[in-house]
């Protein structure tokens, strides 16, 4: 049918959700085309699921169609039922495809229809179902044909565009300040007193008291301030709203204050206030028609996957520390506990507070610009919305990619495991990688080699996939793993198929980046492809994975151990000495060999590897420190420091990259490592520790350097033991300084003070700690973290404390 009001649009998908119209669930898309946002609806797409009957079943489509169930909203029944044939784990299987009108009908009707067979794909979110089936990806180019009907743009046809779109996402970064006479602000009674913002061009602070700053706009009330912020967002129609810890604090706080003051906080493109959703321990805020980016969650993700050395330098994930780690600058600060006093103070006090508030948004803007290229590319690669990508784990990103490929390949998406299956998987761990632990000590002249994408390469080379796994290979062509598992040589499974696609694309992106080294989006895409590709092995062995396969995961690590041990044997034949090996890395002592010898060894190894696998030279290092395990002479795995020929220091596994140790222990340890690696002086290294011990006992070290940070990963009442962080939180809650709900799953910063008998009794949250227990930090932080290194030089604990004479080197 042709419509007089038909339109054709090309742009990018900014957001996708669904709304209810009558009894129907209707997909809603927000498309940005030529700088303008369009709201579109697809009435032709319905929710569905599959019922797979057992062999020999007499069930037919008509029987399923006639099944009805009632609830308080009416009668539920199938809109239509089709006969289909798809593959499940490599075998063609017949099933019924059941269409319904509403998403609410999917779980209830699919459960009822289990009398006809097992249900599949009943737990896939409707918007994900849509982008999977239509083959489109948020932020990629798409073409849409639509018509206008009853004031709505209704989709007639949608497809991926042939070329990338040049649409640019607009954004606003914001931060709020709140009145906090009880230290912890209470959204029910304590007002928001400032809202700062910047979009990279225009910046300002909205507040309710007159402040003599050119960027400040004063409103008559908190209600007017929130209304003005809402109006500003709508007027400029931003695609992205970014905050820092805004999912947990700023967004819910403003929502509650808007409700209390009867202000408008409808900051989406459509009706309705932002919605808070739980995703495990991560909170997500859904803003209709826009993307919400919580840079705090992004920074934590980047740190976990090791995508930025700059982020790893941050000891905590506060805005100021992440900003300092990334920019090298110090952000303007005030005493956050006393913001209410600053607000009630002098004109000069409030001017300082306004400067601080704006500084938060400007700092956030810098972090947003640093992180957003990577998040955009992760969103594109995984085919997820930007909001979803920013709160996803690597496993969730992999799963979304595999779901898309399963649909393309006419395969059923496997169901999620039940709790019983998850428990069994967790109780039966898979044998991991081969590790050759080093002899503890200090070494000179080291060459480090890495297998490039070892596990992805193995998966591709041997077609390792749950669907290619064979129970009885007999005469069929197959690969056999060291565990005796057999995998068909063809057809290609979807796991190796998707991996091959990712690795090939990354190779092309790296070529393009060499020609355009200033292109931050090419660099980000290369990183995004690497992060996701390296997550496939872990997903195969993840207990909650839809594509879990013990045989597959075991085979990958078994092949890995085989290649690593063979490479070590070859290194010894070439005259090198193997110092350390772990998963995909080889640390070789040069043993008098030249760099040319190292390259010859590399060439020899690569001649024997499968096409998709390659050993690479990481770097040559002048010196390295490997520490021992407690009570053993053998070195600990993944715990070393190296100094490259260019002067770069690489550190792995020491407390300075862990966040449950204080800054004083991390900083002291780093200073010791740098002194040993660069100067080779044990005397200077020992003097550094003695000086810190002296200053701790004098009480001259800033209490901020003594803060220990860890996350509460369970509900507060679910802990059996009383850990220091838990004790500190409970004390603050009992004193009504903290709200229990706010502390669930929170990142906790605490200090061990002088008051109490046990460590837990002495623990206080950082903002309430007035002193510190020097002996605790000496004996449980500084000495243990540095002694791991200095004992390899023959230095004892007593010497570091100034209690004994220096021993000779062994």
């Amino acid at each position: 049918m042709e419509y007089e009001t038909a339109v054709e649009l090309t742009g990018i998908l900014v957001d996708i959700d669904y709304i209810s119209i009558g009894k129907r669930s209707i997909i809603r898309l927000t498309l940005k085309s030529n700088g303008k946002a369009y709201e579109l609806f697809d009435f032709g797409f319905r929710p569905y699921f599959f019922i797979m009957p057992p062999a020999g079943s007499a069930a037919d489509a008509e029987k399923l169609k006639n099944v009805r169930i009632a609830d308080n909203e009416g009668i539920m029944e199938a809109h239509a039922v089709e006969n289909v044939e798809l593959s499940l784990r490599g075998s063609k299987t017949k099933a019924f495809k059941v269409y319904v009108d509403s998403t609410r009908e999917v779980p209830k009707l699919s459960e009822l229809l289990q009398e006809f067979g097992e249900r599949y794909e009943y737990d896939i979110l409707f918007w994900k179902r849509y982008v999977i089936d239509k083959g489109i990806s948020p932020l990629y180019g798409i073409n849409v044909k639509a018509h206008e009907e009853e004031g709505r743009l209704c989709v007639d046809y949608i497809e991926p565009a042939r070329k990338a779109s040049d649409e640019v996402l607009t954004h606003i970064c914001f931060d709020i300040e709140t009145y906090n006479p009880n230290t912890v602000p209470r959204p029910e009674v304590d007002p928001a007193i400032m809202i700062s913002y910047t979009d990279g061009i225009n910046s300002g602070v909205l507040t309710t008291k007159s402040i003599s700053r050119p960027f400040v706009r004063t409103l008559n009330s908190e209600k007017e301030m929130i209304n003005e912020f809402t109006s500003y967002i709508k007027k400029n129609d931003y695609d992205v709203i970014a905050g820092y810890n805004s999912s947990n604090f700023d967004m819910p706080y403003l929502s509650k204050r808007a409700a209390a003051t009867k202000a408008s906080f409808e900051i989406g493109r459509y009706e309705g206030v932002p919605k808070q959703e739980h995703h495990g321990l991560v909170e997500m805020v859904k803003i209709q028609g826009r993307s919400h980016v919580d840079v705090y969650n992004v920074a934590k993700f980047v740190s976990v996957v090791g995508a930025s050395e700059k982020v790893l330098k941050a000891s905590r994930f506060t805005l100021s520390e992440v900003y300092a780690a990334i920019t090298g600058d110090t952000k303007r600060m005030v005493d956050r506990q006393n913001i209410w006093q600053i607000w009630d103070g002098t004109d000069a006090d409030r001017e300082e507070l306004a400067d601080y508030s704006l500084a938060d948004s400007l700092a956030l803007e810098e972090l947003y610009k640093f992180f957003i290229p990577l998040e955009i590319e992760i969103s594109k690669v995984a085919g997820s919305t930007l909001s979803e990508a920013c709160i996803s784990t690597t496993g969730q990103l992999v799963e979304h990619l595999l779901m898309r490929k399963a649909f393309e390949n006419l395969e059923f998406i496997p169901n999620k495991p039940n709790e019983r299956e998850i428990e069994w998987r967790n109780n039966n761990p898979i044998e991991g990688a081969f590790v050759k632990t080093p002899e503890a000590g200090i070494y000179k002249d080291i060459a480090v080699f890495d297998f490039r994408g070892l596990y992805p390469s193995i998966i591709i080379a041997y077609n390792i996939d749950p669907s290619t796994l064979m129970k009885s290979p007999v005469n069929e062509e197959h690969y056999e793993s060291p565990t005796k598992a057999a995998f068909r040589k063809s057809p290609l499974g979807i796991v190796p198929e998707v991996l091959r696609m990712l690795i090939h694309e990354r190779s092309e992106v790296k070529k393009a980046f060499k020609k355009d080294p200033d292109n931050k989006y090419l660099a980000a895409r290369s990183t995004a492809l690497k992060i996701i590709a390296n997550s496939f092995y872990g997903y195969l062995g993840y207990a909650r994975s839809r594509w879990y396969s013990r045989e597959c995961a075991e085979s990958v690590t078994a092949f890995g151990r085989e290649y690593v041990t063979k490479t070590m044997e070859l290194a010894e034949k070439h005259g090198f000495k193997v110092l350390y090996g772990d998963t995909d890395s080889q640390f070789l002592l040069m043993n008098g060999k030249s760099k040319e010898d190292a390259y010859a060894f590399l060439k020899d190894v690569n001649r024997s590897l499968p096409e998709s696998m390659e050993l690479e030279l990481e770097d040559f290092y002048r010196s390295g420190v490997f520490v021992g395990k407690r009570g053993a002479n053998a070195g600990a795995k993944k715990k070393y420091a190296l100094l490259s020929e260019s002067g770069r220091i690489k550190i792995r596994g020491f407390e300075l990259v862990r966040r449950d140790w204080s800054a004083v222990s991390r900083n002291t340890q780093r200073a010791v490592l740098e002194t040993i690696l660069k100067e080779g002086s044990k005397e200077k290294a020992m003097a550094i520790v003695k000086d810190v011990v002296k200053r701790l006992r004098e009480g001259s070290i800033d209490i901020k350097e003594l803060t220990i940070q860890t996350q509460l990963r369970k509900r507060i009442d679910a802990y059996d033991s009383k850990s220091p962080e838990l004790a500190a939180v409970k004390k603050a809650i009992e004193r009504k300084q903290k709200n229990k709900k706010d502390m669930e799953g929170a990142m906790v910063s605490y200090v061990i003070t002088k008051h109490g008998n046990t460590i837990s009794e002495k623990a206080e949250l950082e903002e309430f700690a007035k002193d510190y227990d020097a002996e605790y930090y000496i004996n449980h932080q500084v000495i243990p973290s540095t002694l791991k290194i200095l004992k390899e030089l023959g230095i004892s604990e007593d010497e570091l404390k100034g209690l004994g004479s220096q021993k000779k080197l062994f």
Side-chain angles (χ1 to χ4, degrees):
M1 182 183 294
E2 293 293 330
Y3 293 90
E4 291 183 5
T5 54
V7 295
E8 293 188 19
L9 298 169
T10 297
I12 59 172
L13 190 59
V14 174
D15 188 41
I16 178 169
D17 59 7
Y18 69 91
I19 62 171
S20 296
I21 300 179
K23 293 184 178 181
R24 290 283 311 278
S25 293
I26 308 298
I27 285 289
R28 176 171 63 183
L29 307 108
T30 302
L31 180 77
K32 187 170 186 182
S33 178
N34 294 320
K36 181 182 177 182
Y38 293 85
E39 182 183 25
L40 301 107
F41 300 89
D42 195 332
F43 284 82
F45 191 79
R46 293 178 182 272
Y48 67 83
F49 58 89
F50 295 98
I51 294 293
M52 185 187 299
S57 170
D60 58 32
E62 196 60 32
K63 285 183 179 179
L64 272 70
K65 182 75 169 64
N66 291 333
V67 173
R68 291 173 175 80
I69 184 175
D71 67 3
N72 57 4
E73 294 186 43
I75 301 294
M76 290 182 283
E77 60 183 333
H79 172 79
V81 181
E82 294 178 356
N83 293 296
V84 296
E85 185 177 76
L86 300 175
S87 292
L88 179 66
R89 301 271 171 156
S91 300
K92 290 286 185 183
T93 307
K94 292 183 178 181
F96 301 108
K97 187 175 185 180
V98 183
Y99 294 92
V100 294
D101 290 329
S102 169
T103 57
R104 78 177 182 88
E105 296 176 298
V106 174
K108 294 181 180 180
L109 200 55
S110 66
E111 185 175 7
L112 184 66
L113 291 177
Q114 284 187 106
E115 66 175 282
F116 297 103
E118 190 173 0
R119 58 179 176 166
Y120 279 87
E121 303 193 19
Y122 60 91
D123 57 356
I124 298 172
L125 295 176
F126 194 30
W127 73 264
K128 286 189 179 182
R129 179 84 274 170
Y130 187 83
V131 297
I132 288 169
D133 288 25
K134 297 295 183 180
I136 59 175
S137 291
L139 304 186
Y140 262 129
I142 58 173
N143 298 324
V144 177
K145 290 182 181 179
H147 69 274
E148 189 175 337
E149 185 176 335
E150 297 181 358
R152 297 188 182 100
L153 276 178
C154 303
V155 174
D156 299 313
Y157 180 74
I158 187 169
E159 66 174 359
R162 293 183 179 178
K163 63 178 183 178
S165 172
D166 57 2
E167 292 289 338
V168 176
L169 293 175
T170 59
H171 72 276
I172 184 171
C173 296
F174 83 103
D175 186 73
I176 70 170
E177 308 305 331
T178 57
Y179 197 69
N180 62 338
N182 282 28
T183 305
V184 179
R186 302 157 296 175
E188 298 79 13
V189 294
D190 295 328
I193 55 178
M194 287 183 181
I195 304 176
S196 64
Y197 63 87
T198 182
D199 59 12
I201 301 173
N202 298 307
S203 307
V205 173
L206 304 175
T207 190
T208 56
K209 287 186 179 181
S210 180
I211 297 174
S212 182
R213 285 286 189 267
F215 53 80
V216 171
R217 183 174 177 194
T218 303
L219 288 307
N220 292 324
S221 66
E222 183 187 11
K223 176 181 178 179
E224 284 191 20
M225 179 180 71
I226 296 173
N227 283 342
E228 179 62 25
F229 182 58
T230 300
S231 298
Y232 190 82
I233 289 173
K234 286 182 172 291
K235 176 185 173 183
N236 292 282
D237 200 24
Y238 297 106
D239 302 309
V240 180
I241 300 176
Y244 200 86
N245 199 29
S246 47
S247 299
N248 293 299
F249 183 72
D250 304 72
M251 284 290 186
Y253 205 96
L254 285 179
S255 290
K256 290 175 182 176
R257 292 311 302 158
T261 61
K262 295 182 169 46
S264 169
F265 195 52
E266 293 191 356
I267 57 175
R269 283 187 161 119
Y270 319 120
E271 290 183 3
V273 297
K275 295 179 181 177
Q276 197 164 14
E277 300 176 357
H278 301 286
H279 290 253
L281 289 173
V282 180
E283 296 291 316
M284 176 183 177
V285 172
K286 177 71 178 172
I287 304 173
Q288 298 91 329
R290 310 189 200 278
S291 293
H292 174 239
V293 174
D294 189 334
V295 178
Y296 169 74
N297 289 331
V298 175
K300 288 204 298 182
F301 173 84
V302 170
S303 175
V304 168
V305 299
S308 172
E309 288 289 335
K310 288 184 176 180
V311 179
L312 287 174
K313 293 177 184 177
S315 59
R316 298 185 299 165
F317 287 113
T318 61
L319 174 62
S320 58
E321 291 212 25
V322 175
Y323 175 77
I326 287 172
T327 67
D329 294 331
T330 302
K331 188 184 75 65
R332 180 187 290 268
M333 297 295 292
V334 298
D335 184 353
R336 290 189 64 87
Q337 296 176 56
N338 298 319
I339 282 179
W340 67 283
Q341 292 178 320
I342 300 172
W343 178 250
D344 288 341
T346 66
D347 289 346
D349 288 336
R350 285 187 288 275
E351 288 168 9
E352 181 186 1
L353 186 60
D355 291 339
Y356 163 76
S357 180
L358 182 61
D360 273 1
S361 285
L362 294 175
L364 176 58
E365 167 76 9
E366 291 299 311
L367 300 189
Y368 177 85
K369 290 189 295 185
F370 179 83
F371 287 117
I372 200 62
L374 176 61
E375 285 302 327
I376 285 175
E377 295 308 319
I378 285 175
S379 171
K380 287 180 177 179
V381 172
S384 184
T385 63
L386 181 60
S387 295
E388 186 86 6
C390 288
I391 55 97
S392 292
T393 63
T394 55
Q396 289 165 336
L397 298 171
V398 168
E399 182 171 279
H400 196 55
L401 262 177
L402 291 176
M403 288 164 67
R404 295 175 73 95
K405 182 54 68 175
F407 177 82
E408 289 176 24
N409 289 5
L410 301 178
E411 295 187 25
F412 284 108
I413 295 170
N415 288 331
K416 292 179 179 178
N418 58 40
E419 289 303 316
R420 189 173 180 179
E421 290 174 302
I422 293 167
E423 184 180 6
W424 184 89
R425 293 171 182 181
N426 282 326
N427 290 336
N428 292 272
I430 293 159
E431 185 180 355
F434 171 82
V435 177
K436 180 192 184 310
T437 56
E439 290 294 320
I442 316 256
Y443 297 90
K444 301 289 185 183
D445 299 327
I446 304 164
V448 177
F449 297 87
D450 285 306
F451 280 101
R452 185 181 66 191
L454 178 63
Y455 286 174
S457 299
I458 288 170
I459 291 170
I460 294 169
Y462 297 101
N463 201 22
I464 296 176
D465 185 274
S467 68
T468 64
L469 182 64
M470 305 168 68
K471 290 184 179 178
S472 52
V474 195
N475 297 321
E476 194 174 346
E477 272 200 297
H478 65 275
Y479 299 107
E480 186 174 283
S481 82
T483 65
K484 304 304 179 184
F487 300 92
R488 290 187 185 89
K489 289 192 173 182
S490 64
L492 195 63
I494 67 168
V495 172
E497 184 180 359
V498 174
L499 269 174
R500 179 177 284 180
M501 174 193 74
L502 295 175
I503 291 170
H504 173 74
E505 184 182 349
R506 184 164 187 247
S507 176
E508 295 302 308
V509 168
K510 288 172 77 174
K511 290 176 186 176
F513 183 61
K514 283 184 179 179
K515 297 177 182 178
D516 187 8
D518 295 325
N519 191 319
K520 60 184 180 182
Y521 282 94
L522 283 176
R525 188 160 188 84
S526 177
T527 302
L529 290 162
K530 179 181 179 181
I531 289 169
I532 296 175
N534 286 341
S535 303
F536 273 73
Y537 158 71
Y539 183 71
L540 284 172
Y542 173 51
R544 296 183 180 272
S545 167
R546 292 178 185 267
W547 273 270
Y548 174 89
S549 171
R550 184 180 181 84
E551 296 90 341
C552 288
E554 282 181 331
S555 294
V556 173
T557 55
F559 272 122
R561 292 192 296 272
E562 190 174 85
Y563 279 111
V564 168
T565 53
K566 285 181 178 178
T567 304
M568 288 180 175
E569 290 169 3
L570 189 58
E572 297 281 358
K573 289 180 181 178
H574 274 258
F576 299 96
K577 182 178 179 181
V578 178
L579 170 63
Y580 172 47
D582 185 7
T583 311
D584 58 359
S585 299
Q586 314 271 309
F587 291 64
L588 306 182
L589 293 175
M590 294 297 284
N591 217 22
K593 309 296 285 186
S594 66
K595 289 183 179 180
E596 288 72 23
D597 293 328
Y599 287 116
F601 159 71
L602 187 66
K603 189 175 181 181
D604 197 10
V605 171
N606 285 327
R607 272 198 296 264
S608 64
L609 297 177
E611 184 180 347
S612 59
M613 199 180 299
E614 184 180 0
L615 187 70
E616 297 177 317
L617 173 69
E618 180 196 288
D619 210 343
F620 292 103
Y621 293 90
R622 296 201 318 242
S623 59
V625 176
F626 292 80
V627 305
K629 291 181 182 178
R630 183 175 295 178
N633 290 325
K637 64 179 182 178
K638 294 186 185 296
K639 189 164 285 192
Y640 58 85
L642 299 168
L643 175 66
S644 73
E645 292 182 336
S646 64
R648 179 177 65 91
I649 293 178
K650 177 180 179 179
I651 299 171
R652 291 291 181 270
F654 287 108
E655 279 69 22
L656 60 91
V657 292
R658 281 176 47 187
R659 292 178 178 84
D660 55 348
W661 284 67
S662 62
V664 70
S665 64
R666 292 192 302 269
N667 294 340
T668 307
Q669 189 186 70
R670 186 176 191 98
V672 166
L673 283 170
E674 289 182 354
T675 300
I676 292 171
L677 290 171
K678 291 181 176 180
E679 301 183 42
S681 172
K682 68 173 183 178
E683 289 80 13
K684 286 186 178 180
M686 189 164 62
I688 289 169
V689 181
K690 285 185 174 182
D691 179 64
V692 172
V693 169
K694 177 174 176 288
R695 290 192 293 122
L696 278 167
R697 286 178 173 149
E698 290 171 348
S700 61
I701 289 183
D702 193 314
I703 205 165
K704 290 186 180 299
E705 288 192 56
L706 305 169
T707 299
I708 303 166
Q709 190 175 61
T710 189
Q711 186 171 15
L712 296 179
R713 300 194 175 275
K714 296 189 290 186
R715 290 181 297 103
I716 290 172
D717 295 335
Y719 283 88
D720 295 326
S721 59
K722 193 174 182 181
S723 61
E725 63 271 19
L726 184 64
V729 167
K730 284 188 171 182
K731 279 187 277 188
I733 293 171
E734 289 167 4
R735 294 192 298 251
K736 300 188 185 305
Q737 295 168 316
K738 290 290 182 183
N739 182 285
K740 182 177 178 181
K741 182 180 177 183
D742 294 338
M743 297 308 295
E744 300 279 3
M747 189 67 75
V748 176
S749 299
Y750 66 95
V751 174
I752 304 302
T753 69
K754 296 177 180 178
H755 312 289
N757 296 317
T758 67
I759 291 175
S760 290
E761 288 175 1
K762 293 180 178 183
E764 287 283 357
L765 293 183
E766 177 189 2
E767 59 255 53
F768 310 125
K770 305 300 181 186
D771 55 35
Y772 62 84
D773 183 345
E775 294 307 314
Y776 168 82
Y777 286 95
I778 292 168
N779 295 316
H780 297 280
Q781 294 262 317
V782 174
I783 297 295
S785 66
T786 54
L787 191 62
K788 293 174 186 291
I789 306 154
L790 293 174
K791 71 177 181 181
E792 312 308 336
L793 297 175
I795 296 171
S796 70
E797 182 175 344
D798 285 348
E799 289 177 83
L800 292 179
K801 294 179 180 178
L803 301 175
S805 60
Q806 187 172 305
K807 298 178 182 178
K808 296 180 180 179
L809 284 172
F810 44 64

